[in-house]
Amino acid sequence: GVEVNTAEDGQVFYDNNCVYCHPSDPAHLDTDVEKIADVLRSGNIRAHRRIDYSDGQIKSLENYLKSLK
């Protein structure tokens, strides 16, 4: 199948993975959307190392966060 990476996919990903440590309303995240991919891929944050992010998941998450602006 073709990955579409929609904002809706990003919202599902956020709700299933991120809300345990981050605000339920991601508009309150401190990190700039443009830096999200680098932060997730860096492995510098221990909790992020547990999740094997695909490029598509990261792209959909970026699209979701940008849609909130």
Side-chain angles (χ1 to χ4, degrees):
V2 175
E3 286 193 28
V4 180
N5 308 325
T6 65
E8 290 79 17
D9 294 334
Q11 182 176 8
V12 170
F13 183 81
Y14 189 90
D15 290 345
N16 288 335
N17 295 281
C18 309
V19 296
Y20 301 104
C21 301
H22 297 287
S24 59
D25 180 355
H28 298 290
L29 284 173
D30 293 331
T31 305
D32 292 334
V33 175
E34 292 75 23
K35 296 179 182 173
I36 293 287
D38 290 338
V39 169
L40 296 178
R41 289 188 180 113
S42 72
N44 290 337
I45 299 169
R46 189 177 326 161
H48 292 168
R49 293 182 208 147
R50 297 183 354 205
I51 302 171
D52 185 19
Y53 306 98
S54 72
D55 290 340
Q57 287 171 321
I58 291 175
K59 189 65 182 165
S60 64
L61 183 60
E62 288 174 328
N63 288 337
Y64 170 53
L65 296 176
K66 287 177 184 175
S67 76
L68 303 175
K69 300 291 179 191

